[in-house]
Amino acid sequence: MKKLVISTLFVMQVFFVFAQTTAGITGKVVDSKTQRPLQNVVASIQNTSLTALTDVTGVFVFKEVPSGSQLLQIKSTGFKDQLLSVEIEAGKVLDLGIVVLEEDITIEQRINLIAILDNDLGDDNSGSENTAGLLQASRDTYQQAAAFNWGQARFRIRGLDNEYSTTMINGVTMNKLLDNRPQWGNWGGLNDATRNQEFTMGSAPSDYTFGGILGTQEINTRASIYRKGTRISYAGTQTNYNWRAMATHASGMNKDGWAFVISASRRWAVEAYFEGTDYSANSVFASIEKKFNDKHSLNFTSIYAQNRRGRNSSNTDEITRIAGIKYNSYWGWQDGKKRNSRDREVEEPINMLTHYWKMSDKTQLTTNVMYQFGEIGNSRLDFVNAANPDPTYYQNLPSYFTSQYNNNPETVPSSAYLPGGLGGVFTPNLIGAMDAPFFTQRQIDWNAMYRANTTAIIDENGNEIGREPTRSSYVLYEDRTEDKLFVANSILSSQLSDNIVMNGGASYSRLNSSNFQLLTDLLGGSHFLDIDTFQEGSAQQPDLNNLNREVKVGDRYGYNYKLYADHIDAFTQFKFTYKTIDFYLAQSFSRKSYQREGLYRNGIYATSSFGKSEKIEFDNFGFKGGLTYKISGKQFLTFNGLYMSKAPSMRNVFFNARLSNTPIRNLKSETVSNLDMSYVIKTPTFKARLTGFFANIKDATETSFFFAEGALEDNDGDGGDAFVAEIVTGLEKLNIGAELGLEYQITSTIKATAAASYGQYTYNNNPNVTLNDDARAARGLSTLVNLGESKLKNYRQPGIPQQAYALGLEYRDPKFWWVGANVNYLADTYLDVSSVLRTNSFLRNPTDANGFQFPEATQSRVDELLKQEKFDPYTLVNLTGGKSWRISGKNPVTLGLFATLNNVFDVQYKTGGFEQARNANYRELNQDVSSGTPAFAPRYFYGFGRSYFFNFYINF
């Protein structure tokens, strides 16, 4: 009887019931495992505006449906969509009987994606996460491949950074004002609590915001929409963490109008995939809703997600050949444990109050008030008058003794001394490359730093009986950001007529951001002297109002400032739906205001660092529109177009925000344009989407910091060596390409998928480059040096596979187990090139008073040195599988197991990297590269090798 019932449910035999005069459809939706009715399931007639929701008994009803062949889509969060072909006869009601929804296994894949890619490469406190754009994956075949299969290679949809997407919780934008990117760690580990999501692709319309060109993602935490029940899960992996425990309970709405959801998780690792990468994260979620009546509901959401993880270093090929791709230079042994010097911690709780007002059957208003506070910190070592503790510091590597001297260690001059200890004592012993310190000391020497910060206590016999603290030569500190963010917004949705829907909204955001250097560990010493030894005289003082400060644990030092931002945003959108054509029009206005307040009077910028800066304001507009042409109920064409201006992020407004109030002058808003066109087929057995896209970004601004040798003209004889800020303005990016997603249900149990992405993501002009050299201020010179244009036109944008292809096969057994495999080929990933190396200063001899070029430079050699590196293509094979069980009873229990094995053949591949710009002129770079063992070779990031993930869960 059970087999008969299941067979009947899957076949979904259709029978007709005669109605009175109109054509309609009805049916009852149930969970395939528990057989329980599902409430609030969305039923829609494809390529029409007709939709219906299931009631508490799981029943949906369409009263009036056009006669003829139609496609009925049944969808609900957490379940696989059903697409049914139905024939509607005039004057009859089609009763579908029971419609079964199966659990959507891609939800488990999303959890897996976050598990393997919860990672970022930045060194600042911007909060950006490189993988955020990849998480915008819906049930579209192409998007699933982009996220789940190509995500491990840091693929980005359409080659776009996640600052061009919009991530929202309950209609509140979560992109940071500092860098326009979402901080995914703010709700990390709360996968069950954040499953209710809506996605739009590209610039397609969203009901909640105007959005960007990468799409929108709306996370809904309203307590009453969660499926009632409890879920407990336990997962294991060896990527960014090892273990995860999670529990979630949803009460459902009770008779008194109350509903609540609570969720908590912990993720941890002593050491994850890369050496020395510890991990500790704790997350808690709560949502409580009170329904006062049919018109008003109030929901409170609170999210706390604390995350601390050890970072891993980028490495040159030389380092990787010696130590392997898992090598990480940031850690060292201390008291028998691995201690990482570069920990990143995120702790920014979110509290949000949401009012839902059903003004009428056709109009709804949602209003939010949100307050977020907390901190982001990145730790690192600081040192004064002492040797660099980094084991991969260039003087510790074999290449230091061979790169500049034609591979002949015997010709190394006596000036090439070896650092004999972390105390700064040098031993004048001439050594060969095989005696380089890196071979014997590959990790940070914590004990040596503690000894350098203390002095020996000697007894009367000359024996050391202990050590006492002295002024620290080495300390550990954090670059700390402490934000206070207030947001208020309202979103209106109204059905103006049968064919027209209006969406609109307005929001206000206010940010107060404290940024400073926080001393966290004196490493055995008594205090630390707050001076900048790279400067001279008064320029050494970080704060002229407090000279020669002696700082201790918990003190701020080095830099200390605040950033203020105000953001006003409004949009309107009109969607028109007709029989053969749907179209929409939307417009937006935003105003951003930035200001810096220096709390230190810095010695370099004595007149422009203390107090408040001028306010920097940007007004921006956006327009977009699109249409859908319905060829038939199964085929349609879509078109989307957008043009908007976008304010530069706050981090790119001040060229040296840590020390100076001075903004980048004549800074422009970006202009962003986008076009895409798609051909879509949707049938019960075959789905396909082919999209061509064009995205153009003009007047972008980027800033970076590095040490450059020979970058600046200098008549003082030091060759223009300096630690500089690089400011690139007027940058244009052009992204064009095509996307293809195919899905074919070969049989009721076997499905084949294919996806492809081909793009050309290039720099489309020669932007301007300006360097800021703090040291020039001490000589009475302007710190800003304009190097003119950088010849970046036609170089490829870095760190993105610009070709990606996937083939997959999946088997789903009616007894609730499945297995799948996919093969992925990724190619055309490029190295991040240095802008300063492609300015005219690269060929200019900085020690020549007349600024003549190097006489030995030839165009062919210049082209060879500046050719952009293209990484080798690679193929990744992934396996997935799972099984679920239903335990019958009064309250049925479901058990499930999901597992993946990624990169089955343990392929080693580079996901990104960057040129080191230290050799900033032709002569130094040519000399270094010609040796065959360059000391300042590019640094790379690597993907995970063979990795696994499993998740065991129980629902009741």
Side-chain angles (χ1 to χ4, degrees), residues 599-660:
L599 303 180
Y600 286 173
R601 189 161 69 93
N602 184 267
I604 301 172
Y605 303 94
T607 61
S608 61
S609 56
F610 188 70
K612 290 187 176 181
S613 73
E614 61 186 287
K615 284 190 175 182
I616 314 298
E617 294 184 341
F618 299 91
D619 288 343
N620 295 282
F621 299 87
F623 304 92
K624 70 177 182 179
L627 62 86
T628 298
Y629 174 67
K630 307 164 191 176
I631 301 172
S632 69
K634 300 177 181 179
Q635 303 178 67
F636 52 95
L637 295 172
T638 67
F639 169 83
N640 297 286
L642 173 148
Y643 180 84
M644 64 182 293
S645 59
K646 177 176 174 290
S649 64
M650 188 160 54
R651 63 172 299 182
N652 289 327
V653 168
F654 299 94
F655 66 82
N656 192 352
R658 290 184 174 184
L659 304 182
S660 174

Side-chain angles (χ1 to χ4, degrees), residues 84-100:
L84 309 176
S85 180
V86 294
E87 290 290 335
I88 307 300
E89 293 186 25
K92 297 181 179 180
V93 173
L94 175 63
D95 190 336
L96 298 177
I98 295 178
V99 179
V100 177

Side-chain angles (χ1 to χ4, degrees), residues 126 169 380 545 572 581 617 675 738 745 768 841 850 887-888:
S126 65
I169 297 180
R380 61 191 306 160
N545 296 332
T572 58
I581 293 180
E617 294 184 341
L675 293 171
Q745 196 74 41
N768 192 79
S841 68
N850 296 314
I887 301 175
S888 300

Side-chain angles (χ1 to χ4, degrees), residues 521-559:
D521 194 337
L522 286 164
L523 302 181
S526 58
H527 63 277
F528 187 66
L529 185 61
D530 184 16
I531 61 171
D532 183 356
T533 57
F534 291 98
Q535 309 298 333
E536 297 177 356
S538 62
Q540 288 189 323
Q541 299 294 330
D543 186 7
L544 292 173
N545 296 332
N546 293 279
L547 302 177
N548 298 316
R549 293 177 63 229
E550 294 182 352
V551 293
K552 297 185 178 182
V553 172
D555 289 341
R556 303 181 182 190
Y557 78 105
Y559 65 88

